[in-house]
Amino acid sequence: MAEIGVLGLGVMGRNLSLNLADHGYRTALYNRHYHVTEAFLRRCREQEPSWRRLQGFREMEDFVDAIERPRRIVLLVKAGEATDLTIENLLPFLDPGDVVIDCGNAHWLDTIRRERELRRRELLFIGCGISGGESGARFGPSLMAGGSREAWERIEAIWRDIAAKVDPETGEPIEGAAPGRPVSGGEPCAALVGENGAGHYVKTVHNGIEYIDMQLIAESYWLLKHLGGFSNPELAEIYSRWNEGELASYLIAITARILSQPDPRGDGYLIDRILDRAGQKGTGKWAADSALALGVPANALAEAVFARYLSSRKDERLQASRRLASVPVGRVDDPPGWSEQVRHALYCAKICAYAQGFQLLRAAQQEYGWRFDFAAIARIWRGGCIIRARFLNLIASAYQRKPDLANLLLADDFQSALHQGHPAWRQTVATAVLNGMAVPAMSAALAYYDGYRSERLPANLIQAQRDFFGAHTYERTDQPGRRFHFDWVGGKRETVVE
Ligand code: NBP
């Protein structure tokens, strides 16, 4: 009998199945179109003996029957309607106590609904965020599970086995897994983060941070390239060097690789031939939607999503570039000094990006009744996932020391990094603006920082305007706890409203 089943053999399902097989799990496989299953198994059998642990089925009923009870069935199908349809088709074959684990990129509200519906049928349901793309699924993803403890206990050992591992001493990802030879030892990047939709919510916030991180890196690249005048090999060298320090992360590492890639179709570099139109699958928007819905000032997140929208309007931008006034883009006098400034700006803005992500998690736990362990979430993001970064160790320590920390910006390590880096950050944003270069995420993060640290903001005027046109009332600084309305037209009477 199989110990687990995987339903959906797209990119993620195939790779997660191989990961399971590498770890010795007998795995049953099913895909809507059987020819996909057949082709996959044929390739597996030719390549690696341990993959004989994978067994494919044409009929869904036979697939379910082949899994030992109570069953564990992983769904890796397209998120949305396809997931509902798949669950509906599975239901007649399941028995009470079986656990269904949806590893697709589901919206957390769908997961909350599905968990409730399956619980009514005495079935367990886990919504599990999975990050790391194809190679993460293959050699160790970051796994963010949401569900009941009973359901989690049924998959915990497997999840810890197949997840990415980090060195318990340094927190650095342990690399080196190969087909048939998984990483052994290390701290697994897998955890139960909360009930029902919590895992998919954490994954959504992960993706939101990923959007900001990518936008910030893209902005830094643009500033270095155009204002610093660095060539692609020099840029690759700069990012490789940055990858040795506080910015060390998967996204910085791949940026260095990307910038040094020659064009396979001719002279020059591939990066210069790639169209500047960014795609998206919508999880960044979900995160930004949630920030708006929950009243969380995640402006860098929103800007990162908007920046992709703006980039996708290539034809309009082309027209506008010929018609709207601009300023000539200059060159800085001291390119090495400039790259240091940009490095500080990137790091400070990145701290704000993560601060906004964790603020979102804080607000969501109140809204949905979850209780997040922020340190644990930071720890499972250190390996396997797209935003894995050295400085997640600092975030984990900050929350470990102070689980109720109001905002990451206030953690000692980040306070001092911001103290040290903010002059260069300001200089970077100012230089970009004066040269007509858009740095939406870097400047939004700076506005967030400056707004957050301001004892007073001009919101007094907004309150006065609201009271003027809509009698929305205001509070006075000298009479706390009471609300007032002023007769702005008559100009005489201020009344106490309550
Ligand atoms: P793929 O596009 O490679 O595969 C999609 C799978 O969904 C195929 O097995 C397909 O079956 C199945 N499917 C579809 Br489409 N409609 C179905 C339906 N109505 N009923 C049953 N099965 C259906 O996607 P993927 O990249 O493997 O992603 C799978 C899930 O994992 C998605 O939810 C995705 O958001 C999530 N995810 C992806 C990544 C990533 O980096 N790719 C990362 C994290 C999470 P077929 O072969 O018969 O068409």
Side-chain angles (χ1 to χ4, degrees):
M1 296 288 277
E3 291 151 286
I4 190 164
V6 174
L7 195 164
L9 296 177
V11 176
M12 295 297 280
R14 291 196 301 273
N15 283 287
L16 199 78
S17 305
L18 296 176
N19 186 351
L20 284 161
D22 278 349
H23 283 86
Y25 292 105
R26 296 183 307 279
T27 306
L29 306 177
Y30 176 85
N31 194 68
R32 175 179 58 167
H33 294 112
Y34 183 62
H35 67 89
V36 175
T37 315
E38 263 185 320
F40 175 52
L41 285 173
R42 205 168 32 247
R43 274 200 315 271
C44 290
R45 301 243 151 82
E46 285 160 11
Q47 285 179 34
E48 165 66 41
S50 64
W51 295 342
R52 290 181 196 284
R53 296 185 185 108
L54 300 171
Q55 206 188 352
F57 296 87
R58 185 187 293 271
E59 302 300 330
M60 191 183 269
E61 185 171 6
D62 296 336
F63 158 75
V64 175
D65 278 348
I67 304 166
E68 59 190 32
R69 289 161 71 174
R71 305 177 180 91
R72 291 175 277 236
I73 298 179
V74 178
L75 305 185
L76 266 162
V77 300
K78 194 173 167 197
E81 213 177 309
T83 306
D84 281 322
L85 263 173
T86 305
I87 294 174
E88 209 177 294
N89 292 338
L90 255 181
L91 282 176
F93 309 122
L94 299 180
D95 293 297
D98 288 350
V99 54
V100 176
I101 308 123
D102 177 19
C103 287
N105 265 341
H107 191 285
W108 66 94
L109 292 178
D110 285 336
T111 304
I112 291 174
R113 169 180 55 79
R114 288 173 187 140
E115 196 272 344
R116 196 173 46 233
E117 285 169 4
L118 266 67
R119 191 155 23 91
R120 269 197 223 114
R121 296 167 184 260
E122 296 177 53
L123 295 164
L124 301 170
F125 188 74
I126 287 187
C128 185
I130 174 167
S131 176
E134 183 176 358
S135 92
R138 177 68 192 86
F139 296 113
S142 172
L143 294 164
M144 301 146 247
S148 66
R149 186 144 290 281
E150 183 191 358
W152 171 244
E153 281 165 5
R154 299 274 313 287
I155 62 161
E156 183 177 0
I158 303 178
W159 253 226
R160 290 171 67 87
D161 272 351
I162 63 170
K165 308 289 186 311
V166 294
D167 184 314
E169 299 294 315
T170 63
E172 296 284 331
I174 302 175
E175 308 287 350
R181 284 187 288 110
V183 167
S184 60
E187 203 178 305
C189 296
L192 177 70
V193 296
E195 296 270 326
N196 50 57
H200 279 137
Y201 192 86
V202 170
K203 170 71 198 297
T204 301
V205 172
H206 164 285
N207 285 18
I209 294 173
E210 177 185 311
Y211 270 56
I212 318 177
D213 223 342
M214 290 170 74
Q215 176 64 28
L216 288 172
I217 295 172
E219 289 171 15
S220 70
Y221 150 68
W222 217 225
L223 295 176
L224 292 173
K225 179 181 170 76
H226 292 290
L227 296 175
F230 294 104
S231 65
N232 286 323
E234 286 167 338
L235 289 167
E237 189 347 74
I238 289 172
Y239 285 101
S240 296
R241 209 171 50 244
W242 289 0
N243 200 39
E244 301 296 314
E246 70 219 350
L247 282 166
S249 59
Y250 171 72
L251 284 170
I252 292 284
I254 65 167
T255 300
R257 288 271 301 277
I258 290 166
L259 291 166
S260 56
Q261 175 61 51
D263 183 354
R265 290 177 185 271
D267 293 342
Y269 289 84
L270 181 55
I271 186 68
D272 297 323
R273 297 274 171 274
I274 295 178
L275 189 66
D276 53 332
R277 194 151 55 186
Q280 55 187 314
K281 286 199 169 163
T283 44
K285 176 187 170 297
W286 288 354
D289 279 347
S290 182
L292 282 171
L294 298 177
V296 177
N299 63 343
L301 168 58
E303 283 296 351
V305 178
F306 292 150
R308 290 200 192 184
Y309 292 154
L310 193 64
S311 80
S312 70
R313 299 182 173 222
K314 177 77 181 178
D315 297 341
E316 263 178 84
R317 287 195 286 120
L318 209 61
Q319 296 288 329
S321 72
R322 295 186 188 122
R323 295 172 61 178
L324 297 180
S326 64
V327 286
V329 175
R331 277 284 159 85
V332 295
D333 296 333
D334 171 20
W338 176 238
S339 88
E340 271 306 281
Q341 272 189 3
V342 175
R343 180 177 66 81
H344 278 297
L346 181 55
Y347 188 53
C348 290
K350 187 179 164 105
I351 293 170
C352 291
Y354 282 71
Q356 294 187 3
F358 278 89
Q359 291 301 93
L360 201 46
L361 289 175
R362 255 173 91 91
Q365 63 173 1
Q366 275 168 16
E367 176 77 8
Y368 298 109
W370 300 320
R371 283 196 59 193
F372 289 133
D373 176 342
F374 299 123
I377 291 171
R379 280 198 299 272
I380 61 170
W381 284 348
R382 292 177 304 172
C385 68
I386 305 298
I387 64 169
R388 60 185 183 263
R390 181 170 297 165
F391 99 137
L392 278 158
N393 283 313
L394 298 180
I395 298 180
S397 313
Y399 280 120
Q400 221 159 323
R401 275 195 302 272
K402 209 162 183 263
D404 60 348
L405 185 68
N407 188 315
L408 268 180
L409 300 186
L410 301 173
D412 292 345
D413 286 320
F414 297 132
Q415 261 188 61
S416 55
L418 290 162
H419 183 77
Q420 203 198 339
H422 82 102
W425 185 12
R426 293 180 194 291
Q427 200 61 46
T428 305
V429 171
T431 308
V433 170
L434 289 172
N435 282 278
M437 297 181 71
V439 284
M442 219 175 253
S443 53
L446 182 56
Y448 175 75
Y449 172 73
D450 280 333
Y452 189 72
R453 59 157 198 84
S454 290
E455 188 185 337
R456 296 210 64 179
L457 288 169
N460 50 343
L461 179 58
I462 294 171
Q463 279 305 89
Q465 290 166 334
R466 294 180 69 239
D467 191 55
F468 193 115
F469 62 69
H472 293 300
T473 76
Y474 52 85
E475 294 166 281
R476 292 184 58 105
T477 54
D478 53 359
Q479 302 216 28
R482 305 171 83 188
R483 301 202 71 85
F484 298 86
H485 169 59
F486 185 62
D487 172 16
W488 296 94
V489 180
K492 290 210 177 77
R493 261 165 50 93
E494 184 183 64
T495 46
V496 180
V497 175
E498 57 202 58

